[in-house]
Amino acid sequence: MSLTDHGRVRKQQFHDRLGILHHRNLHRKLKERFPAAFNTRWTRRHWLHASLFATLGALLATIVPGFSAQLEPERQANAMLPLVLPPLTVRSTGETAGYWEVVQIERGQTLGSVFGQVGVPASTMHRILDNPANRDALTRLRPGAEIAFQRDADGELRGFRFDRSPTQRVELRLQGESIHEKVLERATTTRLAVTSAEIDHSLYAAGRKAGLSPAAIAVMTDEIFKYDIDFKDVQPGDRFSAVVEETWREGERIGTGRILAATFSTNGKSYTGFRFERNGKAEYFTADGRPLKKSFIRMPIPYARLSSNFGARRHPVLGKMRMHKGVDYAAGTGTPIMAAGDARVQFVGTQRGYGNVVILDHGRGHTTLYAHMSRFGKVRKGQQVGQGTVIGYVGATGLATGPHLHYEFRVNGVHRNPLSVTMPPPEPLKGGDLAAFRAATAPTLARMESMEKLMFAHADTAKAKKKDKRG
């Protein structure tokens, strides 16, 4: 062997020894890192456990959807698809199992069109309306009201539901030709609310925007402030506030009730009225306890034309100069005539040239007479009537050339000019009534004043700045 060959052999032996040492070192490290089960010879038990785990893994990948896909190295991009859901219905259980289909009444929609829209025959509707109470409620449904139809699993009508009043819900169960009714009482609560507004264009629009009902607006104009404010002269910038009762049911406001207090500012003046019951009768008073309602109204026919004044004149029928002991208001036949004040009916009947006439006794020596009526109202002798009660209708009975009202005002039997006589003031609150009034109205007044300060402080500041700039 040459020297060169001997060197190659020695070099190969050296590399072989390095390889053995490397494998020994790797084996030692594996023994340290892995459990003993992998470092020893597997027994039959080891192989049984391994087979069991492999089987479970395969089953898991097969049963769980998408599991095997997650094992793939490449993932598919997610896609969003719109899903159209069916209308939500309320299922019920029991004898009339099914669902309720709720329908909201729209403007201009009739009850018949609603029944036709949901596929209920008109004959069923007429059976429901046979009950007068149901007919009265269902024929006066307003836009926004809800009615509901109950159907069974086959779509057949089994029930009908509607609100008879704010506090009553009626459920009708239809079984063949018979209808069984169940009335459910719905609890309501009353809350006090303060609302304020400034008029932009009209009082009605401002009131509705502030949350007042048409009836509440009418109370302000026709009852509380009718004697002090001419609402035809209301201007933009005028203001009002009101403390009202609100009716709530199941977290929803369903209407407004009585006005407990109101204030109205117009032409630089403010008028305030508070509701208080005296002798069982509700009235509106000023802050110091004086009634806002006057003892008498000047005109028993609102907005009528004065056709003949008080004093001497030539009688249009007799042609002679005679004292005209009242005033005449020209109006169309059938125009309602109102009592000028609270009174007892003294006379109802016919008197010579007066024709059909009513005489009212207002107490303290004051009486009023209304003549030439076409017919009487629902009044009788001895009856108590309130101011504004319709006691008759304009006509031309007796000595009259055309339809009009002849109206007289007497004090202790002496005729006075109704247009200029000083009317007696109404009785103010006194004693215990006055004390109770002040105790009841103090919190209401405080609420209203705080609301006005909050609502109108910014507007007042802006107006003051504008005035300073002009000055």
Side-chain angles (χ1 to χ4, degrees):
M1 178 183 297
S2 63
L3 183 61
T4 304
D5 293 336
H6 180 75
R8 289 177 179 173
V9 171
R10 293 291 299 261
K11 188 175 181 180
Q12 183 63 41
Q13 291 177 347
F14 176 75
H15 282 294
D16 290 342
R17 288 179 180 178
L18 284 178
I20 292 171
L21 291 176
H22 176 72
H23 284 296
R24 286 179 179 176
N25 187 39
L26 179 62
H27 180 69
R28 180 180 57 81
K29 289 182 178 180
L30 288 173
K31 286 183 68 176
E32 293 174 356
R33 184 171 298 182
F34 290 97
F38 291 94
N39 297 325
T40 60
R41 184 175 179 177
W42 278 21
T43 64
R44 183 177 180 181
R45 181 181 177 187
H46 290 153
W47 285 110
L48 182 61
H49 286 172
S51 300
L52 179 60
F53 287 128
T55 303
L56 289 175
L59 288 174
L60 184 64
T62 305
I63 294 173
V64 180
F67 182 80
S68 58
Q70 297 298 325
L71 299 177
E72 297 178 2
E74 294 184 3
R75 295 183 179 181
Q76 300 294 328
N78 293 331
M80 300 292 290
L81 296 177
L83 179 62
V84 180
L85 297 176
L88 181 63
T89 57
V90 181
R91 301 285 175 179
S92 61
T93 59
E95 201 174 299
T96 56
Y99 62 93
W100 286 98
E101 182 180 355
V102 181
V103 178
Q104 191 174 68
I105 304 298
E106 299 178 359
R107 187 174 297 278
Q109 198 172 31
T110 64
L111 188 64
S113 65
V114 174
F115 272 72
Q117 173 185 321
V118 298
V120 177
S123 59
T124 302
M125 180 186 72
H126 292 305
R127 285 169 52 206
I128 293 173
L129 296 178
D130 282 343
N131 185 329
N134 295 344
R135 182 169 59 250
D136 292 343
L138 290 171
T139 54
R140 292 200 304 264
L141 290 175
R142 296 183 177 182
E146 291 183 347
I147 58 178
F149 301 84
Q150 188 184 37
R151 300 182 183 276
D152 60 18
D154 298 325
E156 294 295 324
L157 186 67
R158 289 291 177 262
F160 179 68
R161 184 178 71 201
F162 67 95
D163 291 336
R164 182 177 289 170
S165 70
T167 60
Q168 284 188 339
R169 169 163 287 179
V170 178
E171 287 189 4
L172 304 177
R173 192 176 64 198
L174 283 64
Q175 290 183 328
E177 294 299 318
S178 62
I179 297 179
H180 302 277
E181 178 182 293
K182 180 169 67 174
V183 180
L184 306 175
E185 294 294 333
R186 308 180 72 187
T188 61
T189 57
T190 301
R191 307 177 188 175
L192 289 185
V194 184
T195 182
S196 297
E198 184 172 297
I199 298 172
D200 291 329
H201 304 292
S202 73
L203 169 61
Y204 183 82
R208 296 295 287 148
K209 187 176 180 181
L212 295 179
S213 66
I217 297 172
V219 168
M220 277 206 307
T221 58
D222 300 342
E223 189 172 348
I224 303 176
F225 301 119
K226 73 177 287 187
Y227 301 97
D228 298 309
I229 301 174
D230 185 352
F231 285 96
K232 297 192 299 295
D233 296 333
V234 169
Q235 302 293 325
D238 290 348
R239 304 169 178 173
F240 68 86
S241 297
V243 179
V244 298
E245 292 179 338
E246 293 183 339
T247 304
W248 288 72
R249 183 190 64 210
E250 299 169 3
E252 176 187 7
R253 194 186 79 159
I254 60 176
T256 56
R258 302 176 300 179
I259 295 182
L260 302 186
T263 181
F264 204 102
S265 299
T266 180
N267 294 325
K269 293 184 178 180
S270 293
Y271 304 89
T272 304
F274 297 89
R275 189 180 189 276
F276 184 73
E277 289 191 8
R278 176 172 58 172
N279 299 326
K281 184 179 179 181
E283 299 178 57
Y284 285 93
F285 299 83
T286 62
D288 57 359
R290 294 188 175 276
L292 287 172
K293 174 184 174 182
K294 302 298 186 284
S295 298
F296 293 89
I297 53 178
R298 296 279 182 185
M299 296 176 62
I301 305 175
Y303 312 117
R305 178 176 63 87
L306 180 67
S307 58
S308 184
N309 216 322
F310 182 87
R313 65 160 191 177
R314 184 178 297 278
H315 196 280
V317 177
L318 300 177
K320 298 178 181 180
M321 290 297 297
R322 293 182 62 174
M323 181 66 180
H324 191 224
K325 298 179 180 181
V327 293
D328 292 345
Y329 293 103
T333 300
T335 302
I337 301 169
M338 299 183 299
D342 298 339
R344 178 181 61 85
V345 179
Q346 187 180 85
F347 179 85
V348 179
T350 303
Q351 288 186 359
R352 297 172 296 181
Y354 284 133
N356 293 331
V357 63
V358 172
I359 300 176
L360 302 180
D361 182 359
H362 303 275
R364 294 186 290 176
H366 295 81
T367 59
T368 53
L369 178 146
Y370 313 78
H372 305 308
M373 294 181 176
S374 60
R375 59 190 176 94
F376 301 111
K378 296 179 180 180
V379 294
R380 64 184 185 279
K381 184 178 178 179
Q383 177 184 347
Q384 292 290 333
V385 295
Q387 186 182 84
T389 301
V390 175
I391 58 174
Y393 301 86
V394 169
T397 57
L399 294 176
T401 57
H404 71 283
L405 167 67
H406 174 76
Y407 173 56
E408 296 181 4
F409 192 93
R410 303 172 184 175
V411 181
N412 296 322
V414 179
H415 291 84
R416 301 290 180 87
N417 185 351
L419 302 181
S420 60
V421 66
T422 300
M423 300 293 187
E427 287 289 328
L429 294 172
K430 298 177 182 178
D433 285 342
L434 182 59
F437 169 79
R438 287 174 174 168
T441 58
T444 305
L445 179 61
R447 282 190 179 191
M448 203 158 48
E449 288 178 344
S450 62
M451 173 60 77
E452 288 191 334
K453 287 179 182 178
L454 182 66
M455 289 287 295
F456 303 133
H458 178 72
D460 290 340
T461 303
K463 286 181 180 179
K465 290 182 179 179
K466 190 174 182 180
K467 187 176 180 180
D468 292 341
K469 287 182 180 180
R470 289 180 179 177

